[in-house]
Amino acid sequence: MATRYLRRYEDRDRMNHWLIALLFVLAGLSGLAFFHPSLYFFSSLFGGGVWTRILHPFFGVAMVLAFAVMFFRLWRENVFVPADREWVAKSGDMLRGDKAALPPVGKYNAGQKGVFWLMSVCLAVLLITGVMFWQPWFANSFPILLRRIAVVLHAASAVALVLGVIMHVYAAIWVKGTVRAMTRGTVTEAWARQNHALWHREMTGKQ
């Protein structure tokens, strides 16, 4: 019997996703160069310290803009609903290998929604705080104390974003068949039925 596939992401969504991923790597590596002296060697990837300092904020702004496109396309599907509480309560069973206890979910489960909103908040904080100490364009418009607070919040948000991305990548690899959604845009009908039963019903009309 031939394997049936369901369209999960359009080509434009997948291209935008990989653009965000590329910009995340560029912004992350250039930012790490200034996070701690032991990581300054990353600046050699961008032509040295001066160029790294120049390019980092532009990588960041570009990433935020690309993510904004994704945000406005997907935020409605990532709104938490009462059923998500049950998914969270049963998530321990899933981590132990028992998916049968999980309630049926739509296109995104509570874990995916949590990562989506974590990334959204982190990127908003990174943008706002980054502007506050972006030399030479905006930093002089803010008092020194506020800039120092912004630097701390910027670093904390960057760490939280990196952890969120690690969870995102790990989950995509851990759940077999998920990576295909962002490489080819489709998933098998069996994958959809097992992991996102409500979305499967919506797409196929089957119970």
Side-chain angles (χ1 to χ4, degrees):
M1 188 179 226
T3 302
R4 296 188 59 185
Y5 294 96
L6 300 177
R7 171 65 60 180
R8 189 156 173 85
Y9 293 109
E10 299 296 332
D11 292 344
R12 58 182 175 177
D13 295 321
R14 292 188 294 118
M15 290 175 65
N16 187 54
H17 171 274
W18 292 114
L19 174 61
I20 295 169
L22 173 62
L23 291 168
F24 170 80
V25 172
L26 294 174
L29 292 178
S30 58
L32 281 173
F34 301 110
F35 190 79
H36 191 273
S38 65
L39 301 174
Y40 187 72
F41 68 90
F42 281 120
S43 64
S44 63
L45 297 173
F46 305 96
V50 174
W51 271 109
T52 303
R53 190 174 292 279
I54 291 172
L55 291 172
H56 174 70
F58 288 101
F59 290 147
V61 170
M63 178 171 61
V64 170
L65 292 176
F67 187 86
V69 173
M70 176 185 289
F71 178 88
F72 287 112
R73 285 183 59 79
L74 301 181
W75 74 268
R76 290 180 180 84
E77 295 169 315
N78 281 278
V79 173
F80 286 99
V81 296
D84 290 324
R85 294 196 192 96
E86 184 181 356
W87 189 94
V88 172
K90 300 288 187 180
S91 59
D93 296 326
M94 174 192 66
L95 294 175
R96 288 187 290 271
D98 180 16
K99 290 186 177 182
L102 290 175
V105 297
K107 189 170 185 179
Y108 300 108
N109 59 46
Q112 292 169 311
K113 292 177 181 179
V115 170
F116 175 85
W117 290 108
L118 173 66
M119 291 181 176
S120 300
V121 171
C122 286
L123 286 172
V125 174
L126 286 168
L127 177 64
I128 294 169
T129 56
V131 166
M132 292 172 68
F133 59 90
W134 188 352
Q135 294 279 11
W137 309 108
F138 308 107
N140 292 333
S141 300
F142 301 93
I144 292 177
L145 177 60
L146 202 55
R147 277 185 268 169
R148 288 174 177 170
I149 294 172
V151 169
V152 174
L153 291 176
H154 195 82
S157 297
V159 170
L161 179 62
V162 169
L163 293 176
V165 169
I166 290 173
M167 287 190 292
H168 174 64
V169 173
Y170 178 79
I173 296 172
W174 182 50
V175 181
K176 186 178 180 180
T178 301
V179 174
R180 179 189 176 91
M182 271 302 171
T183 56
R184 301 188 184 182
T186 59
V187 292
T188 65
E189 189 173 334
W191 180 95
R193 187 185 304 110
Q194 179 180 11
N195 297 291
H196 298 270
L198 298 182
W199 178 71
H200 172 262
R201 293 174 196 170
E202 178 185 338
M203 295 295 291
T204 64
K206 299 177 181 178
Q207 294 297 317

